Amino acid sequence: MSFLVLLLVLWVEKFSALSQRVQRDGFYLGELWRLEARPRLAAQLWWVLGVLVLLPALVLALLLLVLQPVAYGLLALPVHFFVLLYSLGRGDLKAALGPFRDAWRREDAQAAVHVAERDLGLGADSACELMQQVQARMLWQAYEGFFAVIFWYFLLGPVIALAYRLLALAADHSKNPAVAERAAQLRHALDWLPVRLLAASFALVGNFVAVSKVMLHELLSWDISAASLIARVGNVAGELPEPVVGPQGLLGLDSLWQMLLRAGVLWYAGFAVWTVLG
């Protein structure tokens, strides 16, 4: 069933706007900020995360336990589908990059800086540095919004996929720095394995030798963040040219996007083989 759900979610993401209606975080973020505002809970950081992450995961696990034996698990299928759809990343990455790409293509560096700050929250001292930040953002959003989620879903099911997204929301939107730090630590633990699997996938669909040199030093490292690792590996795997303002400067972004698509195909092929052999 997991592979069928992955195919359905991929189809919906590509041809439908359903994800935008499902991925509504207002209630969750409101509860997060409400709990953080309580003085009695301010020092009980793990309790806050337990209520906001562990409790929803346990409720989902109980619901699936009840539904799984009914009608050969068919009633659990829509639960899997909607939970996975909700757990994917937020926003349309290609649409968000559209204004930046237009400004860069026109060789309007000032406009590119403005739209990158407005749409992506990025800022840099030079056009070259800005493009590198945009490339790193593309890799990170593709990883944490898609690859990490489908990895944990296929491996352990929708409960861990939901927990990953709730931790990401808490880490990114918490108004309490201590809560955000604890959530980021837990997400870092969940990122350790899938980010290295994606890096290995880049080696297979990109420059194998260059990726191997990077991974030789960082394969077992706990300290390097997933965002830093995927940016370094993606840069060498895609053999990106030096960023220049103008149409030629967009070749690096296009190359990264194509590499991500190839990695996605590789993962789905691996999931299919695993499902058949299992």
Side-chain angles (χ1 to χ4, degrees), residues 196-212 215 233 236-238 258-259 262-267 269-270:
R196 282 158 178 77
L197 181 60
L198 182 57
S201 303
F202 284 171
L204 296 176
V205 301
N207 189 322
F208 183 87
V209 175
V211 173
S212 299
M215 293 300 295
V233 172
V236 298
Q258 292 301 317
M259 186 172 65
R262 294 195 299 271
V265 171
L266 179 64
W267 278 39

Side-chain angles (χ1 to χ4, degrees), residues 5 18 48 63 69 120 123 132 144 153 161 165 169 186 213 221:
V5 172
L18 179 62
V48 173
L63 176 62
L120 305 172
Q132 291 173 347
E144 73 91 25
Y153 172 76
R165 180 52 51 204
L169 289 171
L186 292 174
K213 291 180 180 178
S221 174

Side-chain angles (χ1 to χ4, degrees), residues 69-90:
V70 180
Y72 302 99
L74 290 178
L75 293 181
L77 179 62
V79 177
H80 279 245
F81 172 77
F82 283 107
V83 169
L84 180 59
L85 192 62
Y86 175 80
S87 301
L88 294 178
R90 302 303 187 249

Side-chain angles (χ1 to χ4, degrees), residues 231-276:
R232 290 181 57 186
V233 172
N235 184 64
V236 298
E239 300 177 298
L240 303 183
E242 189 70 20
V244 293
V245 180
Q248 291 298 318
L250 296 175
L251 295 179
L253 284 177
D254 295 334
S255 176
L256 284 180
W257 185 256
Q258 292 301 317
M259 186 172 65
L260 288 167
L261 291 179
R262 294 195 299 271
V265 171
L266 179 64
W267 278 39
Y268 267 75
F271 292 154
V273 172
W274 185 275
T275 301
V276 171

Side-chain angles (χ1 to χ4, degrees), residues 90-101:
R90 302 303 187 249
D92 187 334
L93 179 59
K94 292 193 71 174
L97 288 174
F100 172 81
R101 291 177 61 94

Side-chain angles (χ1 to χ4, degrees), residues 17-161:
L18 179 62
S19 60
Q20 298 176 12
R21 296 193 290 271
V22 173
Q23 296 171 349
R24 297 184 182 276
D25 306 315
F27 175 78
Y28 177 80
L29 295 180
E31 289 299 305
L32 170 64
W33 297 331
R34 184 178 63 84
L35 289 176
E36 291 176 340
R38 288 188 176 184
R40 184 177 299 180
L41 300 179
Q44 301 179 10
L45 306 178
W46 291 115
W47 193 90
V48 173
L49 288 178
V51 171
L52 292 170
V53 178
L54 183 59
L55 183 58
L58 289 176
V59 171
L60 175 61
L62 180 60
L63 176 62
L64 291 172
L65 186 64
V66 172
L67 293 178
Q68 195 63 43
V70 180
Y72 302 99
L74 290 178
L75 293 181
L77 179 62
V79 177
H80 279 245
F81 172 77
F82 283 107
V83 169
L84 180 59
L85 192 62
Y86 175 80
S87 301
L88 294 178
R90 302 303 187 249
D92 187 334
L93 179 59
K94 292 193 71 174
L97 288 174
F100 172 81
R101 291 177 61 94
D102 291 340
W104 196 272
R105 186 181 295 108
R106 298 194 309 268
E107 302 185 16
D108 190 344
Q110 184 175 0
V113 170
H114 173 71
V115 296
E117 182 177 1
R118 181 195 65 192
D119 299 339
L120 305 172
L122 300 176
D125 297 328
S126 66
C128 178
E129 182 182 352
L130 179 63
M131 176 56 79
Q132 291 173 347
Q133 289 188 19
V134 171
Q135 292 168 350
R137 173 63 64 86
M138 171 187 280
L139 289 166
W140 168 246
Q141 287 196 220
Y143 162 75
E144 73 91 25
F146 181 73
F147 288 97
V149 176
I150 67 171
F151 171 84
W152 285 118
Y153 172 76
F154 189 80
L155 190 66
L156 297 177
V159 174
I160 191 67

